[in-house]
Amino acid sequence: MNRELRRKIVGVIIALMIVAICSTPQFKSIVTFPDEVRLHSGSAADLPLNVPFTLYVRSDRHGVVKLNGEPLNGRWRVVSSPIRLESEAAGRVNLEFSLFGLIPFKSVVVDIIPTTYVVPGGQSIGVVLQAEGVMVVGFTAVEGPDGRIHHPARDRGVRVGDVITHVDGRPVRSQRELSASIQAAGESGRAVTLTLKRGEQTLERPVIPRRAKDGRYLLGIYVRDSAAGVGTLTFHETTTGKYVAIGHVISDSETNRPIEVRSGQIISAEVSTVHQGRQGSPGEKVGVVTGSAVVLGNIERNTSFGIVGTLKTELVNPYYESIPVALALEVVEGPAEIITVISGRRMEKFRVEILKARQQRWPDDKGLVVRIVDERLLRATGGIIQGMSGSPIIQKGRLVGAITHVFVNDPTRGYGVYAEWMLRESGILEELQRRRADATEETSFSGHERKAS
């Protein structure tokens, strides 16, 4: 056997060994092991780590967490899988994991936080978004009076998905404003300077408007300045008045780019018709906004895990007044329920099963796999349908997540997002922490004032 052949065989063997190692549960547990773990005060959780090695762990603080029932005091301690964390007191601690006490393996931040209570939603809402600027969603040719074809914007480097925020340095908020600026520039025989937002970039492109056969001056683009649809409100928090809905980012239907929000509203909506979901054909709720509809709140942000805003009217859930938000590590596979509307404005509970509760290293809107098991809901909708996004998922009296997507080939199943990610992305936690800190400072100041008097 020559050297070249031996080298190829060894290479294949090494590649197969790497594939075999990467497919083991132990390797997968290492890859998915989180960098940060959050626990509620007084709760416990099992860390998804399963390695056939001796692990040593030490912490930079004591009195915050216990590991496998024993307190951590800053010294190295031998642990074995599975690893169970128990909270002792609110605070933050850094855990350092080492193999055999010699090889640094992993650093994990453990944050013990107070439990947050919210009112679950389930209401059908109409969503009206006003974009920040106008989005380019397509191109069209401009045919001049002489029959010549022009592509003014495309030829100057404008792309589908670009957001036009300014024209000649002036903000543009609607198709009408953009058309007026283009017409004025064309009649003056000059170019317009478009300020474009492309991802994190801000660009400027001068474009000469071309006169069409009908006398209008055009850039050869299709644009959109607003979006509307129907979804489901997930929860609201009474102290801040903030709500979160939909469960995923709202994107433009043609470009699939997230819509940057300038303003918007959520409006009470009714479900007039349901189109059943079938294999290969997602169903949908047909929502209508009637004359009795009211503005429920504004839209302030379009986040990765839904829209966020402030309510303008009080919302009531017929099943729950206030329930705790479960953290991702507290969610388990098994029975749960969702709240949603399938007719009119009536909110109803339906049985579901959480098939998978993935331990995510980074927040994502597909952490849960959910199956509809309620026969009544299956008869009415066929499973998960469009417009159901944002429907709260409740397990053991806690809000654990929200419906986000349907499996096209099996509408009885779909994805859900963890409620923890929605809560963190919404800014509600930060607002509550700020209010607690302000209240503590105020109490402390009042105490000093009493002592001085």
Side-chain angles (χ1 to χ4, degrees):
M1 184 181 298
N2 61 45
R3 181 180 301 176
E4 184 65 25
L5 182 58
R6 284 200 304 270
R7 192 167 66 179
K8 289 182 179 180
I9 293 174
V10 171
V12 170
I13 292 173
I14 293 174
L16 291 174
M17 290 176 62
I18 292 173
V19 171
I21 292 172
C22 292
S23 63
T24 62
Q26 291 83 1
F27 181 83
K28 290 179 180 178
S29 75
I30 293 172
V31 171
T32 59
F33 197 67
D35 297 318
E36 181 179 4
V37 173
R38 289 192 176 201
L39 288 178
H40 283 141
S41 300
S43 67
D46 295 318
L47 294 185
L49 185 64
N50 178 24
V51 293
F53 310 114
T54 301
L55 285 177
Y56 286 70
V57 183
R58 68 179 176 185
S59 64
D60 62 352
R61 291 183 61 187
H62 65 274
V64 178
V65 295
K66 289 182 179 180
L67 196 64
N68 290 359
E70 298 293 332
L72 292 171
N73 54 15
R75 299 179 180 177
W76 287 108
R77 201 162 66 75
V78 180
V79 296
S80 58
S81 300
I83 297 174
R84 186 170 180 80
L85 284 178
E86 299 175 62
S87 64
E88 290 190 275
R92 173 173 285 211
V93 61
N94 296 293
L95 301 184
E96 182 182 351
F97 290 78
S98 173
L99 298 178
F100 317 112
L102 299 173
I103 305 172
F105 168 67
K106 183 76 177 179
S107 294
V108 179
V109 177
V110 180
D111 204 2
I112 310 300
I113 61 175
T115 302
T116 303
Y117 289 82
V118 300
V119 180
Q123 299 89 346
S124 276
I125 55 172
V127 178
V128 181
L129 287 175
Q130 299 296 322
E132 186 68 50
V134 296
M135 179 179 286
V136 179
V137 298
F139 294 110
T140 182
V142 179
E143 184 178 357
D146 57 359
R148 297 181 64 183
I149 300 299
H150 305 277
H151 296 90
R154 191 188 68 183
D155 291 345
R156 295 298 297 169
V158 178
R159 299 180 186 173
V160 169
D162 286 348
V163 177
I164 303 173
T165 61
H166 295 75
V167 176
D168 293 332
R170 294 185 298 274
V172 58
R173 298 181 178 87
S174 67
Q175 298 181 40
R176 181 176 296 180
E177 289 181 359
L178 177 62
S179 297
S181 297
I182 293 170
Q183 187 68 24
E187 291 174 354
S188 301
R190 60 179 178 82
V192 291
T193 300
L194 305 180
T195 302
L196 309 173
K197 187 168 185 182
R198 182 180 297 166
E200 298 299 319
Q201 292 181 294
T202 299
L203 310 170
E204 288 193 349
R205 293 288 186 269
V207 183
I208 299 175
R210 292 292 184 174
R211 189 176 179 218
K213 282 186 172 182
D214 60 5
R216 291 182 301 157
Y217 284 88
L218 305 171
L219 298 186
I221 54 176
Y222 293 116
V223 297
R224 181 176 291 126
D225 58 12
S226 62
V230 175
T232 304
L233 192 137
T234 307
F235 67 86
H236 73 273
E237 199 282 321
T238 57
T239 303
T240 61
K242 298 287 185 182
Y243 75 87
V244 186
I246 307 298
H248 58 75
V249 69
I250 297 179
S251 301
D252 180 79
S253 58
E254 294 187 44
T255 66
N256 205 31
R257 303 284 183 87
I259 297 174
E260 298 202 21
V261 176
R262 173 170 55 86
S263 63
Q265 295 178 325
I266 58 170
I267 304 167
S268 61
E270 296 182 5
V271 177
S272 62
T273 309
V274 168
H275 295 156
Q276 281 202 346
R278 293 179 175 82
Q279 185 176 5
S281 177
E284 67 172 333
K285 296 180 183 181
V286 179
V288 295
V289 177
T290 66
S292 61
V294 297
V295 175
L296 302 178
N298 65 2
I299 299 175
E300 297 165 3
R301 296 170 58 209
N302 180 23
T303 77
S304 300
F305 306 117
I307 55 173
V308 179
T310 302
L311 292 178
K312 298 182 181 297
T313 185
E314 183 179 358
L315 294 180
V316 177
N317 186 297
Y319 303 105
Y320 301 97
E321 290 186 0
S322 182
I323 61 175
V325 175
L327 299 180
L329 279 174
E330 298 172 332
V331 184
V332 297
E333 296 171 2
E337 64 186 23
I338 64 170
I339 302 176
T340 197
V341 175
I342 59 173
S343 178
R345 296 185 184 180
R346 184 186 175 195
M347 299 160 59
E348 299 182 74
K349 290 196 297 185
F350 300 99
R351 292 180 297 110
V352 301
E353 182 180 2
I354 297 176
L355 299 178
K356 290 183 182 179
R358 296 171 173 166
Q359 300 302 329
Q360 296 176 306
R361 191 169 181 180
W362 296 281
D364 182 75
D365 61 0
K366 296 179 180 178
L368 300 170
V369 177
V370 180
R371 180 172 63 193
I372 305 296
V373 297
D374 195 293
E375 290 297 331
R376 190 163 58 88
L377 184 58
L378 289 172
R379 287 194 300 270
T381 66
I384 297 171
I385 58 177
Q386 295 178 39
M388 203 178 281
S389 294
S391 298
I393 306 170
I394 297 170
Q395 184 183 66
K396 299 179 180 179
R398 299 178 298 182
L399 179 69
V400 300
I403 298 293
T404 58
H405 300 80
V406 61
F407 289 1
V408 176
N409 292 327
D410 181 5
T412 67
R413 297 188 300 154
Y415 287 115
V417 59
Y418 284 113
E420 179 185 356
W421 304 156
M422 300 179 75
L423 191 64
R424 289 170 63 175
E425 186 80 0
S426 69
I428 292 174
L429 280 179
E430 290 75 7
E431 177 66 15
L432 290 174
Q433 290 172 352
R434 185 186 65 79
R435 294 190 181 204
R436 291 189 192 105
D438 290 346
T440 301
E441 290 182 6
E442 185 176 341
T443 301
S444 176
F445 179 78
S446 299
H448 288 300
E449 189 175 45
R450 284 194 296 271
K451 289 179 181 179
S453 59

